[in-house]
Amino acid sequence: MANLVMAAATPHNPLLWRAMRDPMPDDLAGVAANFERFRQAFDEHDVDVVVVIGTDHLRQFSYDNSPAFAVGKADGYHGTWENEVRTFGMEYVELIGHRALADQITGRQVQPDAIDFSVSLEWRLDHSFVIPLQYVRPELDVPIVPIHTNASMPPVPSVRRFISLGEHVRASVEAWESDARVAILTSGHMANDVGGPRTFAGSPDPAFDEAAAGWMRDGDLGGAIRVCSDFDRITEAGCMTYQYLNAVAALAAMGGRAADFADVTESRFASSPFFLWRTR
């Protein structure tokens, strides 16, 4: 059977791609160091395939078609989008798909009981997927299964459904008749506001960041459920804060145990989440 060997949660802020260049700015050195730590972890765990959980930013999925969870079943993926290349200095990339694991997660003929999935055979990935992969596996040579979570267009899935997603991905990997070594890579935010006066003012809600980091350090799924069940509380922390629940999915996939590494890194941008679970 396949092995889930690690899980990670990182930021996907595309502004980092333009700003993190040598000579490295002092306030971004911690972010760069944590991405390097995670890159080394992927190397050390000899990962064969990555399940990448992110949130498309109204590119592939918009108000005319907004699934709660969508799984990519393509043989390959193009990234990114023209405005991201133009605005953030990102690069167009080609990524390898992994159809067998995608089928295992979604069900080949009948969907699993745990969760309803949409599927996509034609998917152009945005920075939510591309940025983390470029930092933790810059060679982009490991096949992926992308999973979009609707964490931006209400009605959004509840925190318990994100937990079900993480648990289901783990169960699917463990039931997969393969010797592959699988990693989960999620991306999102801590407290983060986009488009308002708090956009470039650091963290808009340090209290939320402190509590949310604690759930990862302590393996406290109950704490995440209590707070993240309150949609108003999450959006008070910033309009994009709900994407933090992608990290909650990683916590659930690792059995709710405390992260082996947990850091909320401060910079000129909103606080950056870095949570890592290793094989024990």
Side-chain angles (χ1 to χ4, degrees):
M1 298 300 174
N3 292 308
L4 180 58
V5 297
M6 64 171 290
T10 77
H12 62 236
N13 188 338
L15 293 168
L16 294 170
W17 187 256
R18 184 178 290 281
M20 287 203 305
R21 292 285 187 267
D22 289 330
M24 186 65 62
D26 290 344
D27 71 307
L28 295 177
V31 176
N34 280 337
F35 269 124
E36 175 60 20
R37 179 192 296 269
F38 283 30
R39 187 197 64 76
Q40 291 177 6
F42 270 75
D43 283 347
E44 292 165 1
H45 284 80
D46 196 21
V47 173
D48 296 311
V49 56
V50 186
V51 178
V52 189
I53 300 175
T55 298
D56 175 83
H57 292 73
L58 281 77
R59 286 307 217 166
Q60 181 78 12
F61 306 106
S62 188
Y63 286 100
D64 61 339
N65 178 24
S66 179
F69 302 107
V71 179
K73 287 191 174 187
D75 293 325
Y77 301 92
H78 179 69
T80 181
W81 294 81
E82 286 79 4
N83 76 305
E84 297 184 325
V85 172
R86 182 177 62 251
T87 304
F88 306 118
M90 292 178 62
E91 303 165 358
Y92 293 117
V93 298
E94 301 297 329
L95 300 160
I96 307 163
H98 201 295
R99 179 65 182 266
L101 180 53
D103 284 343
Q104 178 73 17
I105 292 170
T106 61
R108 288 176 173 81
Q109 287 83 31
V110 179
Q111 289 201 347
D113 291 334
I115 193 165
D116 294 328
F117 290 114
S118 293
V119 299
S120 178
L121 296 175
E122 297 183 6
W123 190 343
R124 187 171 176 181
L125 300 175
D126 79 351
H127 66 271
S128 179
F129 301 89
V130 173
I131 288 285
L133 285 166
Q134 286 185 305
Y135 281 119
V136 305
R137 189 68 181 186
E139 301 86 353
L140 301 179
D141 58 349
V142 177
I144 66 168
V145 177
I147 300 180
H148 158 75
T149 69
N150 174 26
S152 58
M153 291 181 284
V156 293
S158 71
V159 62
R160 292 185 182 276
R161 296 201 66 201
F162 278 84
I163 291 170
S164 293
L165 172 64
E167 292 173 343
H168 175 72
V169 170
R170 181 185 186 92
S172 297
V173 170
E174 292 177 342
W176 184 25
E177 295 184 0
S178 169
D179 61 358
R181 296 171 60 82
V182 182
I184 294 175
L185 175 62
T186 76
S187 76
H189 304 290
M190 304 302 289
N192 191 31
D193 214 37
V194 176
R198 301 187 295 174
T199 300
F200 297 109
S203 173
D205 195 332
F208 174 84
D209 289 349
E210 181 178 357
W215 306 327
M216 299 298 167
R217 293 189 184 103
D218 300 336
D220 185 8
L221 267 177
I225 291 170
R226 284 192 301 274
V227 176
C228 296
S229 295
D230 185 347
F231 180 76
D232 290 338
R233 172 67 188 95
I234 302 301
T235 53
E236 284 174 4
C239 62
M240 290 291 104
T241 306
Y242 207 79
Q243 291 182 31
Y244 170 81
L245 271 66
N246 291 332
V248 175
L251 174 62
M254 301 310 284
R257 70 172 173 87
D260 297 298
F261 177 82
D263 185 53
V264 177
T265 314
E266 302 299 329
S267 73
R268 71 189 67 176
F269 307 120
S271 303
S272 296
F274 286 97
F275 309 124
L276 177 65
W277 294 261
R278 295 175 174 270
T279 300
R280 290 185 172 178

